[in-house]
Amino acid sequence: MTEFDTFTEADDLGPAKVVHLTERRTGLRAVVVIDNVAAGPAIGGTRMAPDMTTRVCARLARAMTLKNAMAGLRHGGAKSGIVADPGMPAADKERLIRAFAAAVGDLTDYIPGPDMGTDEAAMAVVFDEIGRAVGLPAALGGLPLDELGATGFGVAEGAEVAAGMLGIDLNGARVVVQGYGAVGRHAARFLGARGSVLVAASDSRGGVVDPSGLDLETLDGIKSRGGSVADYPGESMVVERDEVFTVDCDLLIPAAGPDAIRADNVDDVKARLVLQGANIPATLDAETRLHQRGIVSVPDFVINAGGVICGAVEYAHGTRTQAFEAIAESVRGNVEEVLARSRETGRTPREVALDMAHIRVRRAMETRRWT
Ligand code: NAD
């Protein structure tokens, strides 16, 4: 048994299914965790990463159960992971995604969506194989959530509510984005439209800092040509990628991988508000520490639900306008309720949000024959 295969944790919510997939000819190695389907077929992203493990997949699947419940969707939570380098040649990637799709065809209570290392094109391949996926390209009648910036939009909507409650003016607020990808760059863009200034950004290859503000179009141009934010021209300071956590700012948006904020760097965080664009970007201990330090951290499954809400609206054949209205309504309402309850009780935002989401999942479970 390797770390990839090991999985021992389960509770009354799930997981309902943990399925390992291997295919010798294509070299496919993947895992699907369908955590809970009480509210309906589970939606969750397909991540492609060389270091994907079953344990991480299960944690992400649970986060989806809670996120979908929090957002009031008619969907349970799941996640899948393909163990591979997403930067592989396009033809090899398509072959692998095709093999993955064929292998999940029978898991009809799982609806794949895009995640780190996969995109709308990958979902088009999945849809072509099994007729089931969200986050499809517009040509297939999809609402391309990464192109539209659905999650980043929700992060900015939630940021507006949280900032208002904390007395932070978004106009002129300094923003740091760790992981300038689909979520991070759109969050920066929607916050930029409210007058906020991006003072630091990072990606897997490095970081860049400029207290006077980074130009988003320049950054997007560099990224679209396959470059790194560290290639940003001019007077800005190129830094190690994790140094962005130490930058003085108002809003910090971790939007890359799990456990980026941990015991060894949590005390370096200088932000007033952390918006968890990524899934599980902070360890639980680090989140508690942020709370003790008076830094409000809005949990992943509350603030980054925009993508899955967009996916659910697409699945129900809704429009882009309906998706964005649903995101704004859901994320804004949840951020307000979570932060208000946290303030009243002194508990961390995650603790109160977990209570709210668990109640919603259990209510859905009570309606099912098998409970
Ligand atoms: P993406 O692949 O488009 O972007 C990820 C970015 O993070 C890339 O720029 C990459 O270079 C960078 N990165 C990777 N490792 C890094 C590191 N160690 N330090 C700094 N940067 C690093 O992915 P995405 O779709 O933006 O997703 C980012 C996170 O948000 C993931 O945790 C994902 O699960 C979560 N998420 C995404 C969506 C969505 O709609 N795309 C929705 C909810 C949650």
Side-chain angles (χ1 to χ4, degrees):
M1 292 278 267
T2 64
E3 200 197 336
F4 170 73
D5 305 301
T6 318
F7 184 76
T8 48
E9 291 150 38
D11 61 20
D12 58 324
L13 295 196
K17 287 179 194 163
V18 179
V19 183
H20 288 104
L21 310 165
T22 52
E23 218 251 348
R24 195 176 288 268
R25 200 170 45 86
T26 51
L28 173 72
R29 201 155 167 252
V31 57
V32 181
V33 179
I34 300 172
D35 185 53
N36 188 293
V37 291
I43 294 186
T46 300
R47 179 168 296 197
M48 187 181 283
D51 56 355
M52 192 68 189
T53 66
T54 303
R55 188 173 299 273
V56 166
C57 193
R59 282 172 70 196
L60 294 167
R62 174 55 53 85
M64 289 310 297
T65 297
L66 300 173
K67 188 187 302 188
N68 295 351
M70 200 73 183
L73 302 179
R74 286 197 204 158
H75 293 284
K79 202 82 178 183
S80 57
I82 302 174
V83 184
D85 175 2
M88 72 173 73
D92 295 346
K93 190 165 176 177
E94 180 179 332
R95 224 157 61 97
L96 204 55
I97 303 266
R98 228 168 249 293
F100 167 80
V104 300
D106 289 344
L107 298 174
T108 52
D109 46 4
Y110 174 48
I111 304 162
D115 197 86
M116 280 176 85
T118 64
D119 55 12
E120 283 98 14
M123 290 310 114
V125 171
V126 174
F127 189 77
D128 187 35
E129 283 294 325
I130 64 171
R132 203 173 66 240
V134 293
L136 293 169
L140 293 176
L143 299 172
L145 55 94
D146 280 343
E147 212 174 288
L148 297 172
T151 302
F153 171 74
V155 169
E157 289 288 318
E160 193 170 280
V161 172
M165 292 173 84
L166 297 175
I168 300 172
D169 188 354
L170 281 189
N171 189 11
R174 295 157 306 157
V175 178
V176 171
V177 169
Q178 178 246 6
Y180 197 80
V183 173
R185 78 181 178 89
H186 286 296
R189 178 167 67 88
F190 285 111
L191 284 166
R194 291 163 167 89
S196 303
V197 181
L198 183 70
V199 294
S202 68
D203 59 24
S204 57
R205 285 177 276 167
V208 61
V209 179
D210 191 340
S212 66
L214 295 159
D215 181 61
L216 303 186
E217 268 185 37
T218 305
L219 274 178
D220 291 348
I222 294 169
K223 292 294 286 180
S224 67
R225 291 189 296 275
S228 162
V229 295
D231 302 330
Y232 191 84
E235 299 298 302
S236 51
M237 213 172 17
V238 172
V239 294
E240 293 288 317
R241 68 179 188 198
D242 285 350
E243 254 183 88
V244 296
F245 288 120
T246 68
V247 173
D248 203 4
C249 63
D250 300 297
L251 274 55
L252 170 63
I253 305 176
D259 297 338
I261 305 175
R262 328 170 273 268
D264 62 352
N265 65 3
V266 62
D267 282 336
D268 296 330
V269 173
K270 297 190 181 67
R272 296 166 67 191
L273 178 60
V274 177
L275 305 155
Q276 299 189 356
N279 293 321
I280 47 172
T283 63
L284 282 184
D285 288 349
E287 234 173 89
T288 306
R289 178 71 189 139
L290 288 174
H291 185 66
Q292 287 164 350
R293 292 185 54 213
I295 299 170
V296 171
S297 182
V298 186
D300 45 11
F301 67 96
V302 176
I303 192 90
N304 74 14
V308 75
I309 295 171
C310 189
V313 171
E314 174 189 304
Y315 198 71
H317 304 292
T319 63
R320 184 205 130 130
T321 307
Q322 287 168 333
F324 273 59
E325 277 171 11
I327 294 166
E329 185 184 344
S330 171
V331 175
R332 293 182 77 95
N334 281 332
V335 168
E336 185 170 4
E337 189 170 344
V338 166
L339 296 192
R341 285 193 192 195
S342 169
R343 193 177 270 175
E344 273 161 36
T345 60
R347 300 168 75 210
T348 66
R350 179 168 294 273
E351 285 165 349
V352 297
L354 279 173
D355 274 1
M356 286 164 61
H358 275 105
I359 287 169
R360 293 181 193 181
V361 177
R362 290 212 164 81
R363 274 192 199 137
M365 289 173 79
E366 280 161 16
T367 68
R368 303 303 294 251
R369 174 170 52 78
W370 33 260
T371 53

